[in-house]
Amino acid sequence: MKKILGASVGSCVHVAGIISFLNIAAKLGYNTKYAGSAVSVENLLKAINDFLEHSDPESEYFSEMFNYFVNYLKAYNNVNELVVVSFFA
């Protein structure tokens, strides 16, 4: 089963769109989890790691992608929501 983890990062508390998207995805058969609003980068990494540990990844590429993301963040001295968003842009 494919998985989707949603969260509002940094100071963002706009959650209606994320919740709506996750609800639609769940109705389509995806395993979804909402990590919260105004989630710090540290807590986002914990949520991703927890999601990885407590779910059965669809493929081995999820772990590889997560490790790439963590290394991407380590390349910055000051990680904030703009750095996280730039990874997904």
Side-chain angles (χ1 to χ4, degrees):
M1 177 180 286
K2 294 187 180 186
K3 295 148 197 70
I4 301 174
L5 174 67
S8 299
V9 180
S11 60
C12 183
V13 294
H14 298 97
V15 300
I18 294 172
I19 297 294
S20 295
F21 176 80
L22 292 175
N23 286 336
I24 292 169
K27 289 178 184 177
L28 293 173
Y30 288 83
N31 178 10
T32 63
K33 180 179 177 180
Y34 179 62
S37 63
V39 176
S40 69
V41 173
E42 294 82 18
N43 287 340
L44 176 62
L45 291 175
K46 289 177 187 174
I48 293 170
N49 203 16
D50 182 60
F51 197 52
L52 176 62
E53 288 179 6
H54 295 100
S55 65
D56 185 22
E58 189 73 17
S59 74
E60 67 277 2
Y61 297 117
F62 183 82
S63 178
E64 183 178 327
M65 181 183 70
F66 176 69
N67 290 330
Y68 182 83
F69 177 63
V70 169
N71 288 327
Y72 175 83
L73 294 179
K74 287 180 181 178
Y76 290 87
N77 292 329
N78 184 17
V79 177
N80 59 28
E81 61 268 18
L82 298 176
V83 173
V84 173
V85 171
S86 70
F87 177 80
F88 297 103

